[in-house]
Amino acid sequence: MSKKVLMVVTNHTTITDDHKTGLWLEEFAVPYNVFKEKGYDVKVTSIDGGEVALDPNSIEDRPEWKDAEAELKDTQKLSQDDAEGFNAIFLPGGHGTMFDFPDSETLQYVLQRFADEEKVIGSVCHGPSALVNATDRSGTPIVTGKKVTAFTDSEEKEMQLDMHMPFLLETKLREKGANFESDENWQDFSVRDGNLVTGQNPQSSRSTAEKVVEALEN
């Protein structure tokens, strides 16, 4: 039986009136290809369903990403049913996730089920914004006491977008009890703590996906 991976992406498209955002393409396409190359079944969903907007700054004409991009033309809306039947969930980033991942009751439900059933949870860059409100059945944040990384406060400030974010991701994860680890800005850095895998930034897309594979294969 091939492994099944659920990918969940953002539908949020604006930071400010003049600053568009969305899904960061590399953080989706590279892991998608890693999973497909392993022969995994991949289901792509989004918070609201339908066509997924890309962050304009992330658009690259990469032939090897075309199959992944095609998956974004008409995504299924994430549902509570998606808590069943998958071995792993993967959450790519993009600033859009900061606005629709943390407060999605459906995503929080799915993550709680994955955590309680000790399934693999992977996320990269701003994707870990989904984890800030995620808890296990007992109400404990799933990042408490875990080694975690994500887009750092320093990287956010370097992009000069920190003042437009609903919160700073590194700070919030630390507040939830995560043992936050990071490398220099824009370096490939990812960590695995058991079944929880996180990556720091777009440059970490491949290594994060490979650690998800490692967790699935072990």
Side-chain angles (χ1 to χ4, degrees), residues 58-103:
S58 77
I59 295 172
E60 295 182 54
D61 187 16
R62 299 280 287 270
E64 69 273 23
W65 293 356
K66 289 303 175 200
D67 288 350
E69 283 191 75
E71 295 272 10
L72 302 172
K73 293 300 178 197
D74 186 20
T75 60
Q76 288 190 39
K77 181 177 180 177
L78 180 70
S79 80
Q80 290 194 356
D81 293 340
D82 292 317
E84 302 286 343
F86 295 94
N87 304 100
I89 186 171
F90 192 85
L91 305 154
H95 280 93
T97 60
M98 294 286 286
F99 298 89
D100 63 359
F101 272 14
D103 300 320

Side-chain angles (χ1 to χ4, degrees), residues 70-185:
E71 295 272 10
L72 302 172
K73 293 300 178 197
D74 186 20
T75 60
Q76 288 190 39
K77 181 177 180 177
L78 180 70
S79 80
Q80 290 194 356
D81 293 340
D82 292 317
E84 302 286 343
F86 295 94
N87 304 100
I89 186 171
F90 192 85
L91 305 154
H95 280 93
T97 60
M98 294 286 286
F99 298 89
D100 63 359
F101 272 14
D103 300 320
S104 165
E105 292 181 9
T106 306
L107 180 53
Q108 299 307 314
Y109 173 86
V110 171
L111 285 170
Q112 183 174 100
R113 291 286 300 278
F114 270 71
D116 286 339
E117 294 170 22
E118 298 184 351
K119 294 179 180 179
V120 177
I121 297 172
S123 58
V124 65
C125 199
H126 288 92
S129 62
L131 306 179
V132 300
N133 291 329
T135 66
D136 63 19
R137 191 183 294 119
S138 73
T140 303
I142 66 176
V143 298
T144 297
K146 293 286 181 68
K147 288 189 293 186
V148 172
T149 192
F151 202 64
T152 63
D153 293 357
S154 173
E155 286 167 321
E156 201 70 82
K157 287 167 184 169
E158 190 176 323
M159 289 196 74
Q160 299 183 326
L161 290 172
D162 51 306
M163 71 288 292
H164 298 304
M165 291 298 105
F167 54 89
L168 286 175
L169 185 49
E170 174 187 341
T171 295
K172 185 67 77 173
L173 288 166
R174 289 180 185 279
E175 287 172 1
K176 297 290 181 170
N179 297 325
F180 194 91
E181 301 182 354
S182 61
D183 202 337
E184 299 290 320
N185 289 4

